[in-house]
Amino acid sequence: MAAIKIKSLLQRGWLTMLAACMLSVAVQAAVPTLSNAPVKKDAVLRGDATCTGCHDADDEFPVLAIGKTRHGVTADNRTPTCTSCHGESDTHINKPADAKERLKPDRTFGKKATTTADSQNSACLSCHQSGARMNWQGSQHQSADVPCAACHQVHTGKDKVRAKATQPETCFACHKEQRGQVNRASSHPILEGKVSCSSCHNPHGAVGPKQLVKNTLNETCYTCHTEKRGPFLWEHPPAREDCSNCHVPHGSIHTPLLKARAPWLCQECHLAQNHPSTAYSGTGIPPRGAAQQVLANGCLNCHSQVHGSNHPSGARKTR
Amino acid sequence: MTTKTMNRRKDIFSRKMVYLAVASALLPTAALAQEDAEAIRELTQAASEIEIGLGNVGRDSFAAGDYIGLKNKGPYVIGNIDLVGRDPKSADAWRITGSNLGLSSRNLRAEYGQQGNYRLSLEYDQLPKYRTESAKTIFNGAGTNNLTLPSNWVGATSTAGFTQLNNSLKSMDISHERKNYTLGFSKILSKEWDASVKFRHETKEGSKIVGAVIGNSGGNPRSVLIPEPIDYQTNEIEAKVGYATTKLQFQVGYSLSLFGNSNNSLIWRNPYTYTATPPTPSGWVAPAGFPNGQGQLGLPPDNQSHQLSASLGYNITNTTRFTGTLALGRMTQNQTFLPYTINPGLTVPTPLPRSSLDGKIDTTLINLALTARPMPKLNLRASYRYDDRDNKTPQAQYLFIGGDSINQVTTLASNRARTNLPLSYTQNLLKLDGDYQVAARTKLNVGYDYEEVKRSFSQADKTTEDTYRIGLRRSFSEMISGGVSYARSDRRNKGYADTPFNESYSAQYIATLPAGTRWDDHPLLRKFLYADRERDKFRFSLNASPHEMVALQFRADYNQDDYKNSILGLTKTRSESYTVDASVTPKQNLTLHAYYTSDNYKSNQAGRSFAPATRLALSTPLTSPNDWFNTSDDRIDTFGLGFKVKELMGGRFDLGGDYTYSYGLGKINTTVGSALAAAAPIPDLVSRFQSLQLYGTYKLQKNATLKLSLLHRKLRSDDWGWDSVNPNTMANVLSTGQLSPNYSDNVIGVSVSYKW
């Protein structure tokens, strides 16, 4: 790596450098002078030599890894140049005489950048406004002035928000509540890297509630839980309307991802005569008792078809 | 720019000057150019990487291996690959990535294409779900759709009489596994047009526990928890064509999803005996009982979903954008019905009204949105959403048989005569929002939503909800920023009635009920999804960087739902979440972070215990000695701590660690009125999860790295629903005897990764 080479050279000390400089003068007599040297080549993008002359791997803002990404494929004629995103940045390249320090490029990126989120994002949207990003304007992240670069890293071979295993780290930087929830006893395989936040949510804006990838919450759940789609002969109204009437998506202490525990969860809606309206308490739990509506699966010990039944005798969700 | 940054930049510039001088002096020009080229290549071209190694799991545990595949004690192969090939002069590229290749959670993906022209991808993904290894069953044939009893089984009217129970119990593993195969192709058709198609095939195989009952009224159910086979296939196709310019973008698409289940039912032999003598199980007929009686559960039927969609985005001006979406869908299900009963000994004089459901729901989604910035400081957003789910499933009257246990009741004046209710739903939602920059770095947001929902065959034909929002976000300085927001919603139903009862039960049956008792659920109950509700949401956030090496964050979320017009049912819920986060970077190569989150969810509900004899008398009083109240109080504390140190030992050694502790406590409490039997305390539901991971990487040589990973995980849970419940603890439910998950597990992994 170039950075390592530079460090090792520096470690040789001032004496070596002094000798080197003297030698340099001698050597340069026999080779073209700096002013006659060939102009530095572009490293990746068309015209990037102006930038990569300073912003190499050892710089505070290393940029060369752009070549490892799709943004670095110059054979694709859509590929941008440095200035496509950062602007011409004349005052950055040529520091004005009266400026105390070098001015920043016309457009800088990131959460802490001085460029506004809208201006940052306009650079990205100039190419990425279609498809899954069509509803960016007006989305929750856009409204909250979240720049694309708050989540995406452009100058790196692996943008961690685009990998299932590492994406939650980025999302949890703001969504703290969900970070706690996914650590609960019952959760989707998010920490295991098999389901990512973007498996269900479209952070770039969506038509569905909570920026879900599908148009409705249930449609989103049905992408993996297709067996619950029906339609069924005997529908269970809260399940047909919205899975989140009974379930929570990110984590629960009530398996499987339930808002509350049966039988009380069921009794929030079912209060018919006899056992549906009975008061259940510790009297139904060993050693005091063993109520079939309380232990094991609770109400589901008998009424197991809570997502709907297609059995002609399943009106009570027992078939 | 901070002083430190300026110094660092100066340092870098001066280093470069030295480097140039030294390098130009010491190295021949050609060699320098070659090394430069090599360095540039490394920095600008993606490298391939392969990691291979060996891990070891300390103990067998389903819960510890859930989702990730580390279920079995012993060694496993660590395998991860990222192979890339790209011709820098063309846009041709391929990539093969694989993760967890030695585990049942493996993923393998291959991609080939020419950027800007086309891309072909193929992916395989596996996901295991390990539910429990401690469940037991008396049945033979676990995992199939036909469960039989041991040949020496002795039936009884309740679980206490199962003399052959202990001899017959067999262990069974309850788990399932998904395998996904995805094939994708996308093509850039021109500068503006592109198209893509994706095909996905998923199999899901294994088993889960399901409650299976024989019985027909609340007094005589006899249930067993049995293994339900899972053998599902899902096939999906998604095709899209898109058009995009800076002014206009649109996309049309079609998606098809087909679900298939290899098993349409689950049949089990009834281990319970019929006895003609009441009390148990009164109401059955002899053929339903052991040894010939059977039960049959309907398993998820095959179904289809189709959707055509079109979406459009148009930049009317530089500051005004319109987007619109139209999606037309259809969900269908028409699997041949199972018979009313599997027991041939039961009489079924009235046949099924139809041979299959012909279920059909047509969906329409329209979403229109306009965003504008009429003034530099003002942003406006307006959107309208129409979500219609028109259930066109035909209705019919079914004379159902309760749990394969009785002869069909043919009179319509019976609660066995039921008509199916195809539930339709229509939502209209209008949202208006505005942001105004009231001062430098300060934005004020106000918003209003109006939602109207109409439902068919529902207790509330129509509900409306108004929501008002206000929020303020401010960056006080580069070091401190924060926001606060509050939203208030008020939902009202336009009348509440037991419509499902009136529409599903027969008129003849309803006429048999005394006046004032023609309802199913208590008339004072308000189901929470239709009930009047006042909702408050409060958010607060504060980010502070008191020092450039320190970042602190605080978040508070508070939500409250007040169903204040609900006498019975859910009356109030409240959720709170508070988080403190800190990260410190004391040195450039050292990062420390810690967080703590406290979550609390509380709900209050009210019920009233009543029986046929008290049905009328208890239907109207607003309070009653038969009332009971339940509170659920979930508290979850999550604590995390981690560190990363980079470039130790001369830049060769990186080290990191993460510790997570999650403590969940579920407190449930029931109190009862004076007319009811005394309630008893409910034990706490407890789960304690700890995870400690240490990982280190040591650079053996330029392209080779040694990786070491140590993972300790421990879960302790107490769940009264399972832990003290033997298979025959409940008189009328033969359970599985399974336990709540508990484990303590160590996983070690050593691997070498090679990059080129």
Side-chain angles (χ1 to χ4, degrees), chain A residues 209-237:
Chain A
K210 305 281 182 190
Q211 303 199 92
L212 290 170
V213 290
K214 297 290 183 181
N215 293 331
T216 68
L217 182 139
N218 280 25
E219 272 182 43
T220 306
C221 302
Y222 295 151
T223 56
C224 293
H225 303 284
T226 39
E227 77 277 12
K228 295 178 176 67
R229 189 165 50 198
F232 298 102
L233 170 61
W234 307 109
E235 299 280 11
H236 190 198

XYZ file of all heavy atoms in Angstrom, chain A residues 209-237:
243
model
N -47.244 2.567 4.403
C -46.997 3.154 5.721
C -45.601 2.771 6.213
O -45.062 1.726 5.830
C -48.086 2.512 6.594
C -48.447 1.242 5.887
C -48.242 1.497 4.420
N -45.045 3.604 7.064
C -43.721 3.346 7.652
C -42.668 3.050 6.591
O -41.753 2.256 6.824
C -43.791 2.158 8.636
C -44.817 2.296 9.722
C -44.334 3.199 10.815
C -45.342 3.300 11.947
N -45.002 4.338 12.904
N -42.809 3.643 5.430
C -41.863 3.451 4.325
C -41.654 1.976 4.000
O -40.522 1.549 3.706
C -40.526 4.115 4.648
C -40.659 5.592 4.952
C -39.358 6.324 4.809
O -39.028 6.860 3.768
N -38.591 6.338 5.864
N -42.715 1.204 4.071
C -42.593 -0.223 3.779
C -42.397 -0.457 2.287
O -42.838 0.338 1.454
C -43.832 -0.973 4.278
C -43.938 -1.050 5.805
C -45.295 -1.576 6.231
C -42.833 -1.912 6.382
N -41.767 -1.566 1.976
C -41.404 -1.805 0.577
C -42.613 -2.076 -0.303
O -42.585 -1.837 -1.506
C -40.409 -2.980 0.437
C -39.058 -2.610 0.994
C -40.929 -4.246 1.103
N -43.665 -2.592 0.298
C -44.892 -2.845 -0.461
C -45.914 -1.769 -0.123
O -45.740 -0.986 0.808
C -45.436 -4.238 -0.144
C -44.499 -5.361 -0.552
C -44.422 -5.502 -2.064
C -43.553 -6.654 -2.481
N -43.436 -6.798 -3.924
N -47.008 -1.789 -0.851
C -47.974 -0.703 -0.715
C -48.735 -0.726 0.607
O -49.261 0.294 1.043
C -48.968 -0.740 -1.872
C -48.292 -0.406 -3.190
O -47.306 0.328 -3.218
N -48.800 -0.961 -4.278
N -48.850 -1.912 1.213
C -49.523 -2.005 2.512
C -48.666 -2.853 3.442
O -47.768 -3.575 3.000
C -50.919 -2.669 2.398
O -50.740 -4.042 2.054
C -51.781 -1.996 1.343
N -49.005 -2.775 4.717
C -48.239 -3.560 5.690
C -48.403 -5.053 5.415
O -47.432 -5.804 5.393
C -48.701 -3.211 7.102
C -47.930 -3.927 8.217
C -47.647 -2.964 9.368
C -48.679 -5.123 8.755
N -49.634 -5.490 5.208
C -49.849 -6.923 5.000
C -49.159 -7.427 3.744
O -48.601 -8.524 3.732
C -51.347 -7.229 4.941
C -51.955 -7.304 6.328
O -51.431 -6.713 7.262
N -53.043 -8.027 6.462
N -49.191 -6.644 2.692
C -48.486 -7.067 1.464
C -47.005 -7.273 1.755
O -46.373 -8.179 1.219
C -48.620 -5.990 0.370
C -49.842 -6.125 -0.496
C -49.869 -5.050 -1.578
O -48.830 -4.780 -2.201
O -50.947 -4.469 -1.780
N -46.460 -6.414 2.591
C -45.048 -6.542 2.952
C -44.814 -7.852 3.712
O -43.868 -8.584 3.423
C -44.612 -5.335 3.804
O -44.944 -4.142 3.100
C -43.121 -5.358 4.084
N -45.685 -8.145 4.665
C -45.521 -9.386 5.447
C -45.708 -10.615 4.559
O -45.029 -11.627 4.737
C -46.523 -9.422 6.598
S -46.383 -8.017 7.730
N -46.634 -10.520 3.606
C -46.906 -11.677 2.733
C -45.722 -12.016 1.822
O -45.691 -13.103 1.248
C -48.127 -11.409 1.846
C -49.446 -11.247 2.568
C -50.466 -10.449 2.031
C -49.699 -11.876 3.779
C -51.679 -10.292 2.674
C -50.913 -11.716 4.440
C -51.901 -10.920 3.875
O -53.101 -10.765 4.525
N -44.771 -11.129 1.658
C -43.641 -11.464 0.793
C -42.884 -12.678 1.351
O -42.331 -13.459 0.598
C -42.658 -10.286 0.613
O -42.223 -9.862 1.892
C -43.289 -9.144 -0.136
N -42.866 -12.813 2.671
C -42.231 -13.998 3.268
C -43.265 -14.974 3.819
O -43.017 -16.175 3.866
C -41.294 -13.589 4.397
S -39.864 -12.661 3.832
N -44.384 -14.454 4.292
C -45.390 -15.301 4.941
C -46.573 -15.502 3.997
O -47.715 -15.141 4.316
C -45.812 -14.669 6.268
C -44.651 -14.431 7.196
N -44.048 -15.436 7.912
C -43.938 -13.304 7.479
C -43.038 -14.946 8.615
N -42.947 -13.647 8.368
N -46.280 -16.089 2.846
C -47.304 -16.200 1.797
C -48.457 -17.115 2.198
O -49.559 -16.978 1.663
C -46.675 -16.749 0.499
O -45.730 -17.756 0.828
C -45.995 -15.677 -0.291
N -48.198 -18.025 3.129
C -49.262 -18.960 3.514
C -50.383 -18.259 4.269
O -51.480 -18.789 4.393
C -48.675 -20.110 4.354
C -48.350 -19.793 5.806
C -46.989 -19.117 5.991
O -46.390 -18.688 4.986
O -46.539 -19.009 7.144
N -50.108 -17.058 4.745
C -51.117 -16.343 5.529
C -51.933 -15.377 4.663
O -52.720 -14.596 5.169
C -50.438 -15.590 6.678
C -49.799 -16.557 7.670
C -49.076 -15.876 8.793
C -48.559 -16.899 9.792
N -47.507 -17.777 9.268
N -51.721 -15.440 3.356
C -52.341 -14.442 2.464
C -53.818 -14.723 2.202
O -54.621 -13.824 2.033
C -51.558 -14.420 1.148
C -51.939 -13.309 0.223
C -50.902 -13.134 -0.861
N -50.565 -14.387 -1.525
C -49.453 -14.575 -2.249
N -48.576 -13.602 -2.377
N -49.211 -15.727 -2.829
N -54.203 -15.996 2.138
C -55.588 -16.314 1.829
C -55.972 -15.924 0.431
O -55.127 -16.028 -0.467
N -57.208 -15.481 0.185
C -58.293 -15.254 1.145
C -58.793 -16.573 1.742
O -58.678 -17.619 1.124
C -59.400 -14.610 0.289
C -58.784 -14.285 -1.022
C -57.598 -15.122 -1.190
N -59.353 -16.451 2.941
C -59.850 -17.621 3.647
C -61.370 -17.594 3.720
O -61.995 -16.521 3.641
C -59.283 -17.659 5.076
C -57.778 -17.768 5.118
C -57.000 -16.656 5.389
C -57.149 -18.986 4.873
C -55.619 -16.752 5.431
C -55.763 -19.090 4.916
C -54.997 -17.974 5.193
N -61.914 -18.788 3.909
C -63.367 -18.884 4.096
C -63.772 -18.144 5.367
O -64.682 -17.330 5.367
C -63.750 -20.369 4.166
C -65.174 -20.698 4.589
C -66.192 -20.098 3.617
C -65.350 -22.229 4.667
N -63.083 -18.450 6.431
C -63.370 -17.791 7.712
C -62.200 -16.860 8.020
O -61.160 -17.301 8.487
C -63.546 -18.830 8.825
C -64.555 -19.892 8.476
C -64.301 -21.197 8.187
C -65.978 -19.730 8.369
N -65.467 -21.861 7.902
C -66.515 -20.989 8.010
C -66.852 -18.659 8.531
C -67.869 -21.200 7.804
C -68.203 -18.865 8.336
C -68.709 -20.112 7.981
N -62.409 -15.608 7.722
C -61.345 -14.636 7.950
C -61.290 -14.247 9.418
O -62.305 -14.259 10.113
C -61.596 -13.355 7.121
C -61.632 -13.569 5.621
C -60.251 -13.661 4.984
O -59.259 -13.760 5.737
O -60.177 -13.640 3.744
N -60.109 -13.874 9.867
C -59.964 -13.286 11.203
C -59.755 -11.788 10.954
O -58.696 -11.388 10.451
C -58.760 -13.908 11.916
C -58.679 -13.544 13.364
N -57.538 -13.672 14.100
C -59.600 -13.062 14.220
C -57.762 -13.284 15.346
N -59.008 -12.903 15.431
N -60.729 -10.953 11.265
C -60.682 -9.551 10.815
C -59.389 -8.795 11.105
O -58.850 -8.148 10.210
C -61.894 -8.914 11.492
C -62.849 -10.048 11.647
C -61.998 -11.257 11.945
